[in-house]
């Protein structure tokens, strides 16, 4: 079977493999995998092969999109056009009119959606046993849980059925199964990845998370998935300019739980966590024990406080009208929300605000907090015998993260003596995602071990994606510079790929060199009364500007004249400075035209703005 680690698959494509061959191999692997409970739905073979053939033909020459030909899966609480969304509750099933924006972004970047994965019903659980679609057993020992609620996503990645999977993480639903399956679970800062098109578990805390084999894979997917979505009230404008590349901090300052705050069921996980701390010391990290009391108290608010009422608010009618459609344990959990009074909600909010204030100073003193991903590794029969207590136990080190507005990445920390996997989670304040990933990657590489349960060797990612997109563009490899008989030109609006005037480039034989951003010295405006709609890019003083998404195209010299002849006032061709300091020709706007125009710089680019407008 062809290895699906992103670096390995990119190498295979460079050496001549095709998306059709990869999808054929994926389908054969899935057909031969008899594991229960991984998938809720698979796309038809005909659809997958047709899409793979189309992607291969569209990019047979020139730069390829950043996720070219990468097979992926989506948790069944995230909308995919053409496939029912069930959230593991058949009564709830509906057919979405369109895919969630995050799915759209990934597919536009060349990734191929294979199917939808199983989950704990209504994303309520960390155990992976609460689904009418079956229980995926742990790939290292089938007697043990695979974790939840993103059980199928972690199982699919760990077994080598896809390159990556979309999961969700409210209380630890992406990090816990990552630990149990020996894979990476990235829980981004809330608001970086759109949650529109997601069946909410707890709307104010939900995150779309990413499950992969390595931190580098998670970074490359997150770079595409990140972006501001004006149609999502939880999306943050900072997502438009977010950068996913960061250097590893030399001698990082790492906070760790005090000895009295560590709790494990059995010696295996305790030994592996101590080994993880020793690994960090060998990496030059300085370890600082901290009192975990305020974090643990915040975590208890999620299920023991008023947030259980927010969970009920999403499914109150389902519980009242069709209680039999819910698993008994889910009915019990949701029913607890009926007893929450309004006064308790405000007490909980006020207490959480105080706890946040208590924890916040930590982040100026350390680069990250490292905790065990899980304190226990229960067997399936143990969870079925005591479903609520065993589930609550698993969230000890995860439930506080979103309540305290933290980012985090769970990574493998090696196998225990009994052969079961262990993991640690690197946590930090909002926006520290890239730095956490860099440190977690260095740790993961030092620990080594298997990639999930695949048995595939590590492939070192010595080169970044071929054609980056999304929030992270710094330091990525560029396509070849244009030949002397071609002119490099940066486009910012209606000439972007997929936009109404892009044909004016492609018809003239232009080739896309790369997607990148301007230097942070520009403002972008939506120009009124233009058909088709166009933006205007204007240079401003450095401290007043933003970095705006552009595409750089190589236009054959013999067609430059006819192309420029079509550029009319108030747009003009001038010189644009890119984020790496390079200067190229590109579209600028005459200053007089922006009087009264809407400043859309916060969106980070025309594509994000148009997407937000269409969502209204």
């Amino acid at each position: 079977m062809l290895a699906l680690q992103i670096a390995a698959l990119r190498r295979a494509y460079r050496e001549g493999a095709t998306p059709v061959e990869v999808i054929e191999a994926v389908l054969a692997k899935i057909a031969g995998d008899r594991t229960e409970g991984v998938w809720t739905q698979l796309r038809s073979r005909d659809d997958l092969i047709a899409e793979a053939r189309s992607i291969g033909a569209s990019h047979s020459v020139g730069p390829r999109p950043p996720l070219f030909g990468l097979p992926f899966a989506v948790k069944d609480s995230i909308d995919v056009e053409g496939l029912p969304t069930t959230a593991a509750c058949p009564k709830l099933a509906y057919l979405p009119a369109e895919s969630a924006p995050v799915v759209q972004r990934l597919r536009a970047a060349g990734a191929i959606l294979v199917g939808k994965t199983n989950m704990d019903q209504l994303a309520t659980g960390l155990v992976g046993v609460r689904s009418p679609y079956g229980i995926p057993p742990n790939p290292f020992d089938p007697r043990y849980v695979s974790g939840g609620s993103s059980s199928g996503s972690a199982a699919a990645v760990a077994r080598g059925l896809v390159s990556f999977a979309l999961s969700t993480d409210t209380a630890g639903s992406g990090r816990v199964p990552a630990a149990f399956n020996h894979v990476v679970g990235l829980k981004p800062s809330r608001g970086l990845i759109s949650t529109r098109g997601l069946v909410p578990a707890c709307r104010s805390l939900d995150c779309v998370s990413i499950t992969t084999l390595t931190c580098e894979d998670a970074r490359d997917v997150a770079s595409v998935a990140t972006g501001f979505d004006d149609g999502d009230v939880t999306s943050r404008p900072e997502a438009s300019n977010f950068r996913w590349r960061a250097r590893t901090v030399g001698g990082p300052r790492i906070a760790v739980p005090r000895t009295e705050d560590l709790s494990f069921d059995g010696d295996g996980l305790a030994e592996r966590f101590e080994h993880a701390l020793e690994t960090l010391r060998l990496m030059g990290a300085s370890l600082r024990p901290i009192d975990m009391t305020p974090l643990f108290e915040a975590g208890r608010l999620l299920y023991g406080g008023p947030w259980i009422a927010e969970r009920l608010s999403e499914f109150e009618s389902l519980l009242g009208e069709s209680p039999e459609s819910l698993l008994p344990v889910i009915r019990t959990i949701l029913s607890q929300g009926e007893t929450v009074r309004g006064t308790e909600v405000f007490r909980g909010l006020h207490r959480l605000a105080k706890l946040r204030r208590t924890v916040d100073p930590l982040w100026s003193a350390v680069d990250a907090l490292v905790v065990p991903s899980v304190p226990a590794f229960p067997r399936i029969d143990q969870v079925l015998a005591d479903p609520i207590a065993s589930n609550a136990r698993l969230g000890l080190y995860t439930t506080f993260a979103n309540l305290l507005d933290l980012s985090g990445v769970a990574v493998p920390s090696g196998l225990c003596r009994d052969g079961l996997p262990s993991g640690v989670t690197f946590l930090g304040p909002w926006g520290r995602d890239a730095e956490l990933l860099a440190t977690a990657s260095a740790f993961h590489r030092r620990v080594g071990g298997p990639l999930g349960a695949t048995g595939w060797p590590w492939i070192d990612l010595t080169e970044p994606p071929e054609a980056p997109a999304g929030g992270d563009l710094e330091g990525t490899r560029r396509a070849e510079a244009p030949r002397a008989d071609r002119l490099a030109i940066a486009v910012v609006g209606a000439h972007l790929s997929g936009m109404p005037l892009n044909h004016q480039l492609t018809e003239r034989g232009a080739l896309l060199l790369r997607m990148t951003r301007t230097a942070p010295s520009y403002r972008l405006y939506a120009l009124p009364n233009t058909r088709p709609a166009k933006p205007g890019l204007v240079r401003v003083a450095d401290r007043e500007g933003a970095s705006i998404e552009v595409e750089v195209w190589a236009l054959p010299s013999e067609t430059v004249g006819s192309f420029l002849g079509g550029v009319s006032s108030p747009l003009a061709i001038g010189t644009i400075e890119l984020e790496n300091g390079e200067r190229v020709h590109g579209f600028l706007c005459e200053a007089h035209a922006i009087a009264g125009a809407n400043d859309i710089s916060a969106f980070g680019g025309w594509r994000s703005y148009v997407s937000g407008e269409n969502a209204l």
Side-chain angles (χ1 to χ4, degrees):
M1 170 63 185
L2 188 67
L4 298 184
Q5 181 197 353
I6 291 178
L9 198 49
R10 285 187 176 134
R11 173 188 291 180
Y13 281 135
R14 288 195 298 270
E15 293 174 351
T18 68
V20 170
E21 292 170 345
V22 169
I23 291 301
E24 291 275 22
V26 166
L27 291 174
K29 180 73 178 286
I30 292 173
D33 186 89
R34 302 301 180 186
T35 306
E36 178 188 15
V38 176
W39 304 95
T40 60
Q41 308 158 70
L42 287 167
R43 294 179 64 198
S44 73
R45 181 185 184 281
D46 288 347
D47 284 351
L48 283 169
I49 295 299
E51 182 173 335
R53 185 172 290 114
S54 175
I55 288 173
S58 298
H59 304 285
S60 58
V61 295
R64 290 167 170 168
L67 304 182
F68 174 80
L70 300 182
F72 77 108
V74 171
K75 184 176 181 177
D76 200 4
S77 58
I78 302 172
D79 286 348
V80 172
E81 183 180 2
L83 295 177
T85 301
T86 76
C89 178
K91 179 69 174 180
L92 185 68
Y94 63 91
L95 192 64
E98 62 178 3
S99 295
V102 63
V103 175
Q104 295 180 33
R105 293 177 73 94
L106 297 173
R107 297 183 78 174
I112 302 174
L113 174 67
V114 174
K116 304 192 76 175
T117 53
N118 198 10
M119 56 184 286
D120 281 321
Q121 191 173 70
L122 306 186
T124 302
L126 297 173
V127 285
V129 305
R130 301 171 172 178
S131 172
Y133 297 105
I135 299 173
N138 190 277
F140 293 86
D141 187 329
R143 297 175 299 169
Y144 287 81
V145 298
S146 193
S149 62
S150 307
S151 54
S153 291
V157 172
R159 286 170 166 79
L161 306 180
V162 290
S163 293
F164 68 91
L166 289 185
S167 306
T168 67
D169 194 312
T170 302
S173 288
R175 290 163 285 159
V176 168
F180 287 153
N181 286 272
H182 215 246
V183 294
V184 172
L186 170 64
K187 190 212 76 64
S189 295
R190 289 188 297 116
L192 288 183
I193 297 177
S194 173
T195 57
R196 186 157 53 95
L198 166 67
V199 176
C202 197
R203 192 181 296 270
S204 66
L205 302 176
D206 291 339
C207 287
V208 171
S209 60
I210 297 168
T211 303
T212 58
L213 292 171
T214 70
C215 292
E216 289 77 14
D217 288 3
R219 180 202 64 202
D220 288 352
V221 176
S223 298
V224 173
T226 298
F228 176 68
D229 177 9
D230 193 55
D232 173 14
V233 295
T234 68
S235 185
R236 302 193 192 185
E238 297 93 330
S240 293
N241 294 311
F242 196 80
R243 303 255 175 96
W244 278 97
R245 287 186 182 275
R247 296 184 181 275
T248 305
V249 178
R253 304 165 300 165
I254 304 292
V256 298
R258 302 175 302 175
T259 301
E260 56 264 46
D261 291 327
L262 290 171
S263 175
F264 298 100
D265 293 355
D267 295 334
L269 292 176
E271 290 176 356
R272 291 311 306 174
F273 187 66
E274 185 54 44
H275 184 271
L277 298 185
E278 181 59 29
T279 300
L280 288 169
R281 293 187 187 98
L282 292 173
M283 291 169 56
S286 58
L287 305 186
R288 171 184 170 181
I290 65 162
D291 182 359
M292 293 287 291
T293 300
L295 292 93
F296 287 157
E297 183 180 345
R300 287 193 294 271
L301 289 174
L302 187 59
Y303 286 108
W307 276 266
I308 192 66
E310 183 178 15
R311 190 177 290 270
L312 172 64
S313 70
E314 302 292 345
F315 307 110
E316 188 171 20
S317 60
L318 184 66
L319 177 65
E321 297 169 8
S322 303
E324 73 287 348
S325 67
L326 299 171
L327 299 176
V329 65
I330 305 299
R331 289 201 301 268
T332 299
I333 293 170
L334 292 181
S335 296
Q336 293 171 357
E338 296 175 332
T339 64
V340 177
R341 298 184 302 165
T343 53
E344 293 177 83
V345 173
F346 286 101
R347 288 193 192 102
L349 290 171
H350 299 160
R351 182 58 185 160
L352 179 60
K354 186 172 182 179
L355 292 170
R356 282 182 175 175
R357 184 66 59 88
T358 301
V359 173
D360 279 349
L362 173 66
W363 307 119
S364 60
V366 301
D367 299 302
L369 165 64
V370 172
V371 297
S373 293
V374 291
F377 206 141
R379 297 192 312 271
I380 292 173
D381 62 341
Q382 292 173 324
V383 172
L384 294 177
D386 189 5
I388 292 181
S390 56
N391 183 87
R393 173 77 170 134
L394 292 182
L396 179 64
Y397 300 109
T398 61
T399 52
F400 56 79
N402 283 333
L403 285 161
L404 296 175
D405 208 16
L406 306 184
S407 54
V409 54
V411 295
S413 57
L415 299 180
C416 301
R417 294 181 183 180
D418 57 7
L420 292 174
S422 68
V424 299
T425 296
F426 291 78
L427 295 161
W430 195 98
R432 199 173 285 180
D433 309 58
E435 292 81 1
L436 292 175
L437 262 180
T439 303
S441 174
F443 170 85
H444 190 195
R445 288 174 176 276
R446 186 139 191 160
V447 170
L451 293 175
T454 65
W456 296 334
W458 280 64
I459 300 296
D460 190 29
L461 185 63
T462 55
E463 358 180 331
E466 295 184 350
D472 168 41
L473 302 159
E474 184 177 10
T476 54
R477 192 186 79 162
R478 301 187 192 96
E480 293 182 7
R483 305 191 306 264
D485 62 344
R486 290 179 180 268
L487 174 72
I489 185 166
V491 300
V492 70
H495 287 89
L496 293 167
S497 301
M499 293 294 174
L501 298 184
N502 183 248
H503 67 91
Q504 293 182 357
L505 289 166
T506 58
E507 289 172 352
R508 291 172 170 81
L511 296 176
L512 175 62
L513 294 179
R514 62 191 183 276
M515 293 173 273
T516 184
R517 290 185 175 275
T518 68
S521 310
Y522 295 85
R523 306 298 297 179
L524 190 67
Y525 296 83
L527 300 178
N529 304 318
T530 54
R531 295 291 183 273
K534 301 182 184 71
L537 185 70
V538 177
R539 179 118 194 191
V540 296
D542 287 358
R543 293 188 178 182
E544 299 172 3
S547 182
I548 305 299
E549 181 185 27
V550 297
E551 291 178 354
V552 180
W553 288 75
L555 189 66
S557 57
E558 63 270 19
T559 63
V560 168
S562 65
F563 181 79
L564 296 182
V567 179
S568 58
S569 180
L571 300 182
I573 300 297
T575 300
I576 292 177
E577 182 182 1
L578 303 180
E579 63 176 357
N580 63 358
E582 180 183 354
R583 295 175 181 271
V584 297
H585 295 292
F587 280 81
L588 291 170
C589 182
E590 297 168 0
H592 71 84
I594 65 172
N598 183 20
D599 187 334
I600 59 172
S601 305
F603 287 86
W606 183 244
R607 196 186 305 279
S608 294
Y609 171 73
V610 170
S611 176
E613 285 286 286
N614 289 339
L616 297 178

